[in-house]
Amino acid sequence: AYEKRFPTCPEIPVFLGSEILHESRSDDGAVHIIERSCKLNVDAPRLLKKARVEYVFFIQKNTVNWKERTLRIEARNETFANRVVVLETCSYSVHPENEEWTCFEQSASLDIKSFFGFESTVEKIAMKQYTSNIKRGKEVIEHYLKELISQGITFIPRWTPPPVCGQKDEQSPAVGHDADDGLLESGARGTTKEQTGSSCPPAEAVSPDADKLDADYIERYLGQLTPMQESCLIRLRQWLQETHKGKIPKDEHILRFLRARDFNIDKAREMLCQSLSWRKQYQVDYILQSWRPPALLDEYYTGGWHYQDKDGRPLYILRLGQMDTKGLVKALGEESLLRHVLSINEEGQKRCEENTNIFGRPITSWTCLVDLEGLNMRHLWRPGVKALLRIIEVVEDNYPETLGRLLIVRAPRVFPVLWTLVSPFINENTRQKFLIYSGNNYQGPGGLVDYVNKDVIPDFLGGDCMCTVPEGGLVPKSLYQTEEEPENSDHIRLWTETIYHSASVLKGAPHEIVVEILEGESVITWDFDILKGDVVFSLFHSKRAPETSHKEAALPSTSAAGDNMQLIDKTWVLGVDYSRMESPLVCREGESIQGSHVTRWPGFYILQWKMHGPLPCSGTSLPRVDDVLASLQVSSHKCKLIYYYEVLASKDFRGSMSSLESCNSGFSQLSGATTSSSQSQSSSYLSR
């Protein structure tokens, strides 16, 4: 009855939908675990608008134990997790003295660290939501029980152990999961080949702490691995388990980064850490739920998914020659096109997982069929090529080894010019997967039929299959953005359009912002994430207004633009021209810092971030994430961060008139622990 609430539940209006993240079963089928991402519509428009989110996502883990006859439900918030921690646990069990009775227990906790000064409001909304859920919970479960009874389902047989058979070793029975089970959080998963006419359980994957993977699991989900490659995968996964907070990436995802770096574990770890940080910064994990292509893209973007190739890989068709890249860039901007391409890559990974379950063998990449008929000099428009290079760079860095094969057909004479421009930006391993056909060479033996079944070849390439990919055409100039309407206008919400500002910290050039306080006992609050490098955060006070020394930071094209601003004049003397209000706080790459300061005097308060030298790595064979990230910074001359600050009047500040703790909560993908500053100054107090 409880499972009927998913994927959507009309009985709970705020519950908008859900998606299964992980699913697993025990070897004997007694325990079934499902973890879902649940989308909620919280009635708090002002708060959500301030935080620039439309919906709230929760992670819910349901564990059914048929043997013990229990259902345990655990829920935690994913949205605003570094500000608010909501934990809820529910359990259904059979009464120990009367099997006709069901016992229900429910508990919840709420921990608000900081929320833009609206902590009290958040607490009221959460309590209101929780009280409402308690009242509705019993009604909903009774509704679905009645629905099952109306369908004639009034009794479910008790669980019984499956018969034991086909074991090679009586002392070490082989156990496992269903073939279509999802990954556990650890990344390990049980596997099986399809069996007919047998009730024997399949072979189980080993526990995540084991030093060897199950052979059937490798064959079913990962493909052939040498002992060295298997060892690299286990070591990198164990390192992630020991050093990062939150869900572990799936084995298939980790393996892609290892293959992209030829199983050099240090290089793969560096690449994976940077990618996980990027995914958090731009909320890529939610792009399939949040991104809806503009109507212009639906009509003029000439790409789409189209069945699969002969190897079972999802097939994506791109009619690049028919696409008006110049018109799309002028009408939508680079960011919108990049976001659309990222959603395509996320969808591709999802389809690979689905095809793995369908075909019973590992499908970890997809095939792209690019038709270049119509390609001309218009496609060599400089801003369009720049946008293409940027997209290639982002995809290469964050989706390695996802392209299994690229089939380019009907390449015109202008193609070598375009290839000369873009090929240096494509990884050598990726270039080796390109097959290029000019003219009609793609027809007949040695052409498309070698890679794509004849009944799947699109009609516009001489096949019999109707293809629904848009035909494109020229984008009307009336849809172009004007000079006064740049690509970050309201109707195209860029990832960088947020309450946060971005900044770069250079060697010898800290980033500084000034806050003017007109009356004492105001509260300055701050919240920032360190995206790259290690920095030292300080707070100063001056009676003099600093002069702005603005310096543009040359950021890579794949990052949000950020500035470097220096305010403290080099001639100023600490203790004379300005005073330190907070002890320096070392902030490591991947950390999220929240804190506040109660001002004592009017004047100018300067928030400063300056570069910090790397700490030495530990002597262990697999160092902790802090040491690895610090070592990556050695050759860099620039740190990156995003920050938000706000000034509150003392009457609006919730809590005592001392500063909130300046606490560090690491990226869920990068940090292993939460730490807190214990330093203090007379002007403010940092406490747990």
Side-chain angles (χ1 to χ4, degrees), residues 210-471:
D211 58 1
K212 188 175 181 181
L213 296 175
D214 180 79
D216 288 341
Y217 167 60
I218 294 175
E219 180 182 357
R220 175 70 170 79
Y221 291 100
L222 304 179
Q224 293 184 349
L225 295 177
T226 66
M228 183 277 293
Q229 293 170 344
E230 179 182 338
S231 174
C232 287
L233 173 60
I234 293 173
R235 289 172 62 200
L236 185 51
R237 188 179 69 193
Q238 288 178 340
W239 178 80
L240 287 169
Q241 291 169 342
E242 294 169 0
T243 58
H244 105 203
K245 194 176 180 181
K247 290 179 295 189
I248 308 295
K250 298 179 181 179
D251 281 354
E252 299 94 315
H253 191 73
I254 299 173
L255 198 55
R256 287 189 178 110
F257 286 85
L258 283 167
R259 285 174 171 150
R261 292 296 179 260
D262 296 323
F263 287 88
N264 182 312
I265 193 168
D266 293 326
K267 292 181 178 179
R269 179 167 52 214
E270 174 184 345
M271 186 182 186
L272 180 58
C273 283
Q274 296 287 356
S275 179
L276 292 175
S277 175
W278 170 83
R279 294 183 71 89
K280 178 182 186 292
Q281 181 185 358
Y282 295 112
Q283 297 291 290
V284 179
D285 290 336
Y286 308 111
I287 196 167
L288 290 180
Q289 296 98 326
S290 61
W291 169 245
R292 293 295 177 266
L296 195 66
L297 273 179
D298 288 335
E299 184 175 356
Y300 292 100
Y301 190 89
T302 55
W305 294 101
H306 183 78
Y307 302 102
Q308 54 268 331
D309 67 5
K310 284 188 173 182
D311 295 323
R313 295 188 182 108
L315 178 62
Y316 190 84
I317 293 179
L318 181 63
R319 303 185 69 177
L320 185 59
Q322 303 299 315
M323 187 186 300
D324 181 11
T325 53
K326 181 176 182 178
L328 287 174
V329 171
K330 279 184 167 290
L332 296 173
E334 291 182 28
E335 291 293 338
S336 191
L337 287 176
L338 174 59
R339 194 184 314 194
H340 188 58
V341 172
L342 294 182
S343 71
I344 292 170
N345 279 270
E346 292 293 310
E347 176 68 22
Q349 292 186 139
K350 183 178 177 182
R351 287 173 178 260
C352 285
E353 293 180 9
E354 294 171 353
N355 284 14
T356 294
N357 291 328
I358 292 172
F359 295 105
R361 63 178 185 275
I363 307 292
T364 59
S365 60
W366 56 85
T367 293
C368 186
L369 172 58
V370 180
D371 179 21
L372 293 183
E373 177 161 71
L375 190 78
N376 53 43
M377 294 304 293
R378 180 182 177 85
H379 292 85
L380 301 182
W381 179 57
R382 185 177 179 85
V385 173
K386 174 183 166 228
L388 176 61
L389 295 179
R390 181 187 178 195
I391 289 171
I392 290 173
E393 186 177 5
V394 172
V395 171
E396 284 280 300
D397 288 344
N398 299 285
Y399 299 93
E401 298 298 314
T402 53
L403 180 65
R405 184 179 292 121
L406 182 68
L407 304 170
I408 299 176
V409 299
R410 302 200 282 192
R413 291 182 179 180
V414 74
F415 174 72
V417 180
L418 180 62
W419 179 249
T420 301
L421 292 173
V422 302
S423 60
F425 296 88
I426 301 175
N427 181 275
E428 177 62 29
N429 291 339
T430 304
R431 288 206 300 266
Q432 292 177 0
K433 301 171 184 176
F434 284 37
L435 293 171
I436 303 172
Y437 301 92
S438 61
N440 295 323
N441 292 340
Y442 67 91
Q443 298 176 344
L448 290 184
V449 291
D450 284 11
Y451 307 101
V452 181
N453 287 325
K454 192 173 181 180
D455 59 351
V456 174
I457 296 177
D459 52 348
F460 61 84
L461 292 178
D464 300 326
C465 187
M466 292 296 294
C467 184
T468 59
V469 173
E471 296 183 0

Side-chain angles (χ1 to χ4, degrees), residues 67-81:
K67 182 178 180 180
E68 302 294 335
R69 303 174 72 189
T70 61
L71 167 62
R72 181 176 175 84
I73 304 152
E74 300 167 274
R76 58 180 172 82
N77 63 305
E78 193 169 34
T79 306
F80 307 125

